[in-house]
Structures are given as structure tokens and as C-alpha cells.
Amino acid sequence: MEQPGFMTSLVAGGIAGVSVDLILYPLDTIKTRLQSPQGFNKAGGFRGIYAGVPSAAIGSFPNAAAFFITYEYVKWFLHTDSSSYLMPVKHMLAASAGEVVACLIRVPSEVVKQRTQVSASSRTFQIFSNILYQEGIHGLYRGYTSTVLREIPFSLVQFPLWESLKALWCWRQDHVVDCWQSAVCGAFAGGFAAVVTTPLDVAKTRIMLAKAGSSTASGNVLSALHGVWRTHGLPGLFAGVFPRTAAISLGGFIFLGAYDQTRSLLVGLGRGGP
């Protein structure tokens, strides 16, 4: 199996990440406010739905690039035969490794972004400065564990399903899937993964938005889930599921489609070079 190109994965992943984050940002803001402990209207409602977008814009490229570099490298390193029944396991391990690395970049960006989304009157840099002043670097990584615990199950569902759907489509039509077909597979895989992991996303949001020093801010995912269950029941655990699923389905279409398209173009340019 050919070793993946470092720069190809970096550029393709980065472009895909920026594309999806900026296009679907309003849906992400609505989802965050629905999950906010103060409620949707008090968190800003439909006002200022691009609040916090500088944080997302800055973090998108390196976050997505880090994920795909790791994902492609681990897939290559494990180099399981394409016909092997271990292929889904390889994709799961690659996706999990990618999430652990990407979250080192994603979490600080996510913390600043979400706090700005529920406090639209504050600027991104002001929120960032307040976190550093009040909580230090540790405050920027509040929710790292809960984010990883959300992203790994999500990726364990999304990426093997995406790869399997592409393989099935490829087998049915007897040639490699086009980029738009990869995007359709990504939309379905992302939407399904979004629904089943929404409670973990709710817990992550509550932990990131909690007041410093509170029990929720300690980062205990089970405690956060129990608190939501106790006060809001099952609907609370699935707060924001519709905008989250819509955003991630569209995101899967754009993100994975853009990744495959950009990667194909870069590989083609590389082969056509001198």
C-alpha cells in the first residue's frame, strides 16, 4: 500500500474543515444554544448566529488537517488487505487516533467558540482573554475528555460506515466512487452518527459552558449526563438533535466530499508533475 502524502492529507483535510465549519456555522450556534443550561432564548435565540466564528475559522484548518494526516497515516501503517474482515477495525482505530490528535487543537477553539455563541455581546478575543485570566491554559482544555469521549464513538460509527458505503457503491457500479458519491455516503454516515452521539455532545456542551469551580466544570461526563437527565429527562439528553443532525449530515456531504475531491486533485497534480 502506498504511503499517504503528508502535504496532500494536510491541505485536503484543512480545506474540507474550513469549508464545512464556515458554511454550517449558524446551525452549530443554534444547536449550542438549545443545549445551553440557560435555555435557547436567554443564550441569544436567533440573534448573532455568527458569534464566535473567528475562533472556528482559526481552528478549522489545523484541526481537520491534523485529523486526516493521522487518519491516513494510521490506515497506511496498519495496511490491512482491502478484502479482510479487519478493515472496519482498521478504520475505527485510524479514526480514533485522528480524533485524539485533532482534539488537542479543536478543544480550545470549541471552548472559546461556544462561550461566544451563548454570549453574543462579547467578542471572541475578550472571551479568550477572560478564560486565560480566570482559568489559565487548563480552562482552554476544559472538556477535552468529554470531547474525545464524544468524538471517538462518533468516528467509530461514521468512518467505518462511510468507508463501507463507498466500498458497496464501488462494487455495485464496478468502478471507484465519484466525489459526489463519496459525499452522499458521508452525509448518511454523519447523520446517523450524529443522532446516536447527541447525549455525549450535550454533556460536552454543558461542561464547556459551566461556571468555573462548579461540579459540572470538573469534566465528569456521567455526572453531566445525570444532571441533564434529572432536570430535563430524555428530551434534554437529545437537545439540539435536529440542527446537529442536519449540520453534520450536510457537513458530512461537504467535509468528506471536499476531502476526497481535493485529495484526488492534489494526487493528480502530483502525478502530472515533472
Side-chain angles (χ1 to χ4, degrees), residues 2-83:
E2 185 180 347
Q3 185 170 359
F6 179 85
M7 285 302 298
T8 299
S9 295
L10 186 151
V11 174
I15 290 173
V18 171
S19 299
V20 72
D21 283 350
L22 296 185
I23 291 171
L24 301 179
Y25 194 82
L27 282 173
D28 183 73
T29 299
I30 292 168
K31 182 269 300 182
T32 298
R33 291 174 179 176
L34 285 168
Q35 295 177 350
S36 170
Q38 69 256 50
F40 180 71
N41 290 326
K42 288 185 178 179
F46 290 102
R47 303 183 304 277
I49 55 175
Y50 276 95
V53 74
S55 176
I58 292 169
S60 287
F61 191 99
N63 163 43
F67 173 84
F68 273 112
I69 289 169
T70 309
Y71 180 69
E72 296 291 353
Y73 181 79
V74 173
K75 279 205 306 181
W76 168 81
F77 182 77
L78 296 174
H79 56 75
T80 305
D81 184 79
S82 60
S83 61

Side-chain angles (χ1 to χ4, degrees), residues 107-231:
V107 170
S109 172
E110 187 84 354
V111 169
V112 174
K113 180 196 74 176
Q114 290 203 317
R115 294 197 192 182
T116 310
Q117 285 174 327
V118 299
S119 181
S121 59
S122 301
R123 294 181 179 274
T124 299
F125 184 74
Q126 181 185 352
I127 296 286
F128 174 74
S129 300
N130 288 343
I131 293 171
L132 283 180
Y133 179 75
Q134 295 172 10
E135 303 176 61
I137 294 293
H138 178 75
L140 290 174
Y141 280 93
R142 186 205 290 181
Y144 177 83
T145 301
S146 62
T147 304
V148 170
L149 289 176
R150 178 198 67 175
E151 295 295 352
I152 287 180
F154 181 88
S155 292
L156 290 180
V157 175
Q158 183 189 33
F159 279 87
L161 184 56
W162 177 53
E163 300 277 12
S164 297
L165 289 171
K166 288 198 299 178
L168 178 62
W169 205 331
C170 176
W171 174 74
R172 290 291 297 271
Q173 65 187 11
D174 200 29
H175 65 78
V176 177
V177 294
D178 297 324
C179 291
W180 72 266
Q181 293 170 328
S182 175
V184 170
C185 294
F188 182 84
F192 182 76
V195 173
V196 299
T197 59
T198 293
L200 294 172
D201 187 58
V202 171
K204 185 269 305 177
T205 299
R206 291 298 184 96
I207 289 168
M208 287 185 171
L209 297 181
K211 291 183 179 179
S214 67
S215 58
T216 305
S218 66
N220 188 307
V221 175
L222 290 178
S223 176
L225 287 171
H226 179 70
V228 174
W229 171 264
R230 193 176 62 248
T231 55

